[in-house]
Amino acid sequence: MTRLNWGMIGGGEGSQIGPAHRISAGLDGHFHLTAAALDIDPERGKSYAQQLGVAEDRAYGNWQEMLDGEKSRPDRLDLVTIATPNATHYEISRAFLEAGFNVLCEKPLTMTAEEAEHIVAIAREAGKICAVNYGYSGYPLVRQMRAMVSNGELGKIRLIKAEFAHGFHADAEEADNPRVRWRYDPAQAGTSAVFADAGIHAFHMACFVAGQSPSKLSADFASLVGDRQLEDDAMINIRMDGGALCRLWTSAVAVGRMHGLTLQVFGEKGGLSWQQQHPDQLYWTPLNGRTQILERGDATLSEQAVRASRIAIGHAEGLPVAFANIYHDLAEVLKASNTGNAPSPLALDYPTAVDGLWSMKAIEAAAKSAKSDGAWVNV
């Protein structure tokens, strides 16, 4: 198998997201970590990159050095992953796209919708991929939900209930911990904290599964711990362009909730229920029928779910495999492009910059609504 050259910015030693990307990108053998600028400390970043097997001349002190060093090489990077703090995403994504690189950016894509619109335009003009890591959409049974909705098995979608609520920022004693504090600092996080950080995954998943985009929303933001400038709890009502209503709750102060990402979809003909903490089971209840448990790995599932599953039924898969499905999609598209062939339509489910733009529009609309006592705001 020909491996694609992959570069990574951010996600250095001790980071939360870096290992997930490295495991996921390498899982199917499509990508090789070829170049990296992993840390805000140049020497530490270079050292760790070399520990991971990156050649000394492609282990960089910062992203600017990496861009200068990589843009003229004959063995160019096929994909660059950006896993840096939110406020840097726009500048780095823009620079690499304009230099002709394909990009996978951690969410949020940018700090503002205006910036996201620029990124969408730049990617289109350059003819390059700009994907956003809404990685939970890579779970096989999330793709099963999408397939069942698309195939009409639920009929017209009436209601979506989405949650991403955890309790890891509930301790007031931890409010000044730098790993927590930055998330509630507008200068680093933008106009929203927990909705932009956690709830936006539930938002994207609702749109992804339903095949609908938001038209307007109403939001209630609350800061419940200390003097946080941004919200640590939010309730959002979303009207979708296909007629569905989405109720979305996200929180960082829900003590006892661990990961807390769940999605329920209710249509005219039945309902679906899925939890990220139990990702290999999907509950399907047809109208006037009994609830059934659909198991990941069952060969009778949709083509989308079967393609996204690697391990035999009854053996747990988790987050790295979900992320790996995003990388698998991108690899298939990139390899098809390199050979002049068309990729499988199944490979086109990865989240794009347009998804990132919709998310930024929703974040800004929610912040505006919350400041207006929950007034409905167009997205």
Side-chain angles (χ1 to χ4, degrees):
M1 177 187 293
T2 300
R3 291 201 293 176
L4 298 165
N5 289 330
W6 175 52
M8 188 172 193
I9 302 169
E13 188 171 15
S15 77
Q16 179 179 358
I17 201 66
H21 277 284
R22 288 188 286 274
I23 292 168
S24 303
L27 191 62
D28 296 309
H30 291 304
F31 291 97
H32 172 251
L33 182 60
T34 308
L38 298 176
D39 201 293
I40 193 170
D41 181 301
E43 294 308 314
R44 188 168 59 197
K46 290 179 183 179
S47 174
Y48 189 54
Q50 291 176 63
Q51 290 179 46
L52 295 174
V54 176
E56 183 177 359
D57 66 330
R58 302 183 85 168
Y60 298 98
N62 57 51
W63 70 264
Q64 293 94 336
E65 286 182 7
M66 180 168 157
L67 179 61
D68 288 342
E70 294 294 320
K71 63 186 179 183
S72 299
R73 292 184 68 105
D75 53 346
R76 281 173 66 92
L77 296 172
D78 295 288
L79 180 69
V80 176
T81 292
I82 300 168
T84 55
N86 299 359
T88 67
H89 289 179
Y90 172 71
E91 182 182 16
I92 302 174
S93 296
R94 177 176 180 172
F96 275 85
L97 288 167
E98 289 179 337
F101 292 94
N102 299 295
V103 167
L104 170 60
C105 185
E106 260 302 327
K107 59 82 197 166
L109 176 60
T110 57
M111 293 279 276
T112 69
E114 182 180 11
E115 289 178 344
E117 287 176 343
H118 289 166
I119 293 297
V120 170
I122 291 165
R124 285 175 176 167
E125 183 176 349
K128 294 298 176 180
I129 288 172
C130 183
V132 184
N133 190 41
Y134 293 112
Y136 301 110
S137 64
Y139 274 107
L141 291 181
V142 173
R143 296 191 170 191
Q144 173 71 16
M145 295 174 81
R146 177 179 168 91
M148 292 176 70
V149 169
S150 178
N151 294 338
E153 294 178 56
L154 278 74
K156 182 178 176 61
I157 302 304
R158 293 169 171 165
L159 176 64
I160 303 166
K161 183 174 180 287
E163 294 184 3
F164 197 150
H166 64 81
F168 293 108
H169 299 164
D171 188 350
E173 299 287 329
E174 287 287 309
D176 286 330
N177 183 328
R179 294 175 65 89
V180 174
R181 188 178 61 236
W182 77 267
R183 299 177 185 275
Y184 301 94
D185 177 3
Q188 298 183 73
T191 59
S192 167
V194 72
F195 179 46
D197 182 42
I200 206 65
H201 281 296
F203 167 82
H204 173 263
M205 190 178 291
C207 296
F208 177 78
V209 168
Q212 299 184 30
S213 299
S215 57
K216 62 180 181 178
L217 59 76
S218 170
D220 180 26
F221 283 6
S223 297
L224 302 175
V225 175
D227 56 356
R228 287 172 174 164
Q229 298 180 65
L230 298 174
E231 87 289 349
D232 50 25
D233 188 274
M235 180 66 76
I236 301 159
N237 294 312
I238 306 165
R239 299 280 181 179
M240 311 290 272
D241 62 2
L245 172 63
C246 178
R247 313 284 194 190
L248 191 157
W249 172 50
T250 184
S251 183
V253 297
V255 177
R257 292 288 293 264
M258 297 302 290
H259 193 266
L261 176 59
T262 67
L263 187 71
Q264 294 175 279
V265 183
F266 305 101
E268 295 173 320
K269 299 179 182 178
L272 293 167
S273 180
W274 179 85
Q275 299 180 48
Q276 195 269 343
Q277 287 176 245
H278 305 282
D280 287 353
Q281 287 81 39
L282 173 63
Y283 290 80
W284 159 236
T285 308
L287 183 66
N288 299 322
R290 294 181 177 178
T291 297
Q292 306 167 29
I293 301 176
L294 307 184
E295 293 278 354
R296 183 212 53 78
D298 188 330
T300 65
L301 296 179
S302 69
E303 189 177 2
Q304 293 92 323
V306 171
R307 174 181 178 272
S309 185
R310 291 166 177 75
I311 300 171
I313 190 169
H315 296 78
E317 290 186 352
L319 179 68
V321 175
F323 278 25
N325 283 326
I326 306 297
Y327 278 100
H328 180 65
D329 292 341
L330 293 171
E332 185 170 332
V333 172
L334 290 170
K335 289 182 178 181
S337 177
N338 290 342
T339 59
N341 297 319
S344 163
L346 298 179
L348 301 178
D349 274 342
Y350 65 87
T352 68
V354 174
D355 296 297
L357 171 58
W358 276 116
S359 297
M360 285 312 308
K361 287 184 174 181
I363 290 167
E364 290 187 353
K368 182 178 179 180
S369 172
K371 290 179 181 178
S372 303
D373 294 325
W376 285 91
V377 175
N378 292 331
V379 179

